[in-house]
Amino acid sequence: MKKLILLICLFLLSTLITAQSAEKDLIKKTEDAAKTIDDTIKNGWKSKGKVTFLFNQASFNNWIAGGENSFSGNLGLDYKIDYKKDDYTWENRILASYGLLQTQNSSFEKKTDDQLEINSIVAKKTKSYWYYSFLVNFRSQFTRGFLYDKDVNGAEIREENTKFMSPGYLLVGPGMYWKKNENFKINLAPLTSKFTFVNSRYTSIPGYVDGSYFGVDANKSMLYQLGFNATAYYKFNIMENVSAENLLNLYSNYLEKPQNIDINYSLIILMKINKVLSANFNFQAIYDDDAFAGFQTKEVFGVALNYNF
């Protein structure tokens, strides 16, 4: 009996070792295949893009429980254009979105989304998955943003607070780029210059306190920072026709409060119905104590019409 148990244990151990060895071999072959595909990509330009219209509507008629008629629409653009020449690559991505909400009892249309972001990385391959790189990242918005309140009579009022290039962010810096494949990339830039641009109109308001408007001092229109920047991109399939795309940006300013790390994280979940229709969930979380002492979050969910080109 003891011999039988021993033989069973030895068999299970042998099976486990063989399975682990086969798994490691499969992982290595998969990585080698991905590297081979990357090395054989043709030189020249390639591009792809997608336009998305996401909408949501609510309508009530004699609805005793109460409710307010509303309609919201969000138009988005995701465009990638890349160039390759032997060991050199130039990757560019434009993300743009704009959304409005109109409710029956509101005096104003309100923005649900307003984003313009351009990412560009020039890289030269070294060994394995590593590249020397130079990063350029630009972020701003398209139109004016407002703070909403009520006047003494209870009427809705608003005050302009932001606009295009107020704020506007520009990050530039050299670094190292690790790219396993198109779905998993990391860029580390230890000497990144960050410029925050604003309209001096907002920093010239009487009673304005230095640094209270996106970190920019009174009567100034720009803030310069030097620090460490890390960006990561990871996309995977949750299940068939359902994908999750993660974008993370971290920044630490060497010149002031380096422990206060700026965080910009985006999650895009795409639930594909067919070539044209999908259900989209977009989530964004930002921590930047120059703008607000806490997390800013944004969530957009709805049915979308998609056009790929």
Side-chain angles (χ1 to χ4, degrees):
M1 186 66 178
K2 291 182 179 178
K3 290 183 178 179
L4 180 61
I5 294 173
L6 180 61
L7 286 172
I8 292 173
C9 291
L10 289 173
F11 174 75
L12 292 174
L13 181 62
S14 175
T15 302
L16 179 62
I17 292 173
T18 303
Q20 289 179 337
S21 177
E23 183 181 7
K24 289 179 180 178
D25 185 55
L26 179 61
I27 291 172
K28 186 177 185 305
K29 287 181 179 179
T30 302
E31 291 178 347
D32 290 342
K35 184 176 183 300
T36 301
I37 292 173
D38 184 61
D39 289 340
T40 55
I41 293 176
K42 295 181 179 179
N43 289 333
W45 291 95
K46 67 174 184 177
S47 64
K48 66 176 181 177
K50 179 173 68 174
V51 175
T52 301
F53 177 65
L54 187 146
F55 56 91
N56 191 6
Q57 187 259 343
S59 179
F60 302 90
N61 184 27
N62 298 324
W63 193 255
I64 299 174
E68 185 177 5
N69 295 343
S70 66
F71 177 83
S72 64
N74 186 298
L75 185 64
L77 170 69
D78 184 352
Y79 182 61
K80 299 178 183 178
I81 178 167
D82 301 334
Y83 177 78
K84 181 177 179 182
K85 177 67 175 178
D86 301 328
D87 288 339
Y88 290 90
T89 60
W90 183 20
E91 299 179 2
N92 302 278
R93 186 177 186 182
I94 301 172
L95 294 168
S97 58
Y98 189 77
L100 288 174
L101 168 68
Q102 179 65 65
T103 57
Q104 182 180 11
N105 298 320
S106 176
S107 304
F108 307 104
E109 290 182 338
K110 297 178 181 178
K111 292 195 297 184
T112 57
D113 200 2
D114 190 359
Q115 175 191 13
L116 173 61
E117 181 170 354
I118 301 173
N119 293 286
S120 183
I121 292 182
V122 178
K124 183 185 185 304
K125 193 168 187 178
T126 57
K127 294 182 179 180
S128 185
Y129 302 113
W130 286 99
Y131 297 73
Y132 299 118
S133 67
F134 189 85
L135 166 75
V136 177
N137 172 268
F138 169 76
R139 290 186 293 122
S140 188
Q141 62 190 48
F142 290 103
T143 62
R144 297 180 298 166
F146 299 90
L147 298 175
Y148 294 88
D149 204 348
K150 302 280 187 180
D151 64 14
V152 292
N153 298 316
E156 190 175 27
I157 58 174
R158 65 182 186 179
E159 179 184 0
E160 184 180 315
N161 185 57
T162 58
K163 62 190 303 184
F164 176 69
M165 286 302 293
S166 191
Y169 300 100
L170 178 64
L171 283 80
V172 295
M176 294 296 295
Y177 186 37
W178 185 85
K179 177 182 175 183
K180 187 171 184 179
N181 51 53
E182 290 298 323
N183 295 326
F184 193 12
K185 313 172 189 178
I186 298 173
N187 189 75
L188 305 174
L191 290 173
T192 300
S193 293
K194 179 180 179 181
F195 302 87
T196 302
F197 302 99
V198 302
N199 191 314
S200 58
R201 165 190 171 187
Y202 300 112
T203 62
S204 303
I205 298 172
Y208 172 81
V209 179
D210 279 355
S212 63
Y213 188 76
F214 298 97
V216 182
D217 290 337
N219 301 310
K220 301 293 184 181
S221 59
M222 190 189 77
L223 170 68
Y224 175 77
Q225 297 173 309
L226 178 67
F228 180 88
N229 182 71
T231 58
Y233 174 83
Y234 181 47
K235 182 180 180 180
F236 65 95
N237 291 326
I238 301 175
M239 60 182 68
E240 186 177 0
N241 294 329
V242 180
S243 63
E245 189 175 26
N246 299 268
L247 300 94
L248 176 65
N249 186 291
L250 305 174
Y251 187 82
S252 174
N253 178 25
Y254 297 143
L255 305 180
E256 185 178 356
K257 299 178 182 179
Q259 73 278 7
N260 291 358
I261 299 175
D262 295 346
I263 303 170
N264 188 345
Y265 169 71
S266 295
L267 169 65
I268 303 171
I269 297 179
L270 175 65
M271 292 159 274
K272 187 176 179 182
I273 300 171
N274 53 42
K275 291 182 178 180
V276 178
L277 287 174
S278 66
N280 293 13
F281 174 77
N282 297 341
F283 173 80
Q284 185 175 14
I286 295 176
Y287 179 84
D288 182 352
D289 61 347
D290 290 328
F292 176 73
F295 272 97
Q296 307 169 61
T297 60
K298 179 184 69 176
E299 178 185 317
V300 180
F301 177 74
V303 177
L305 296 171
N306 304 287
Y307 172 72
N308 296 284
F309 60 95

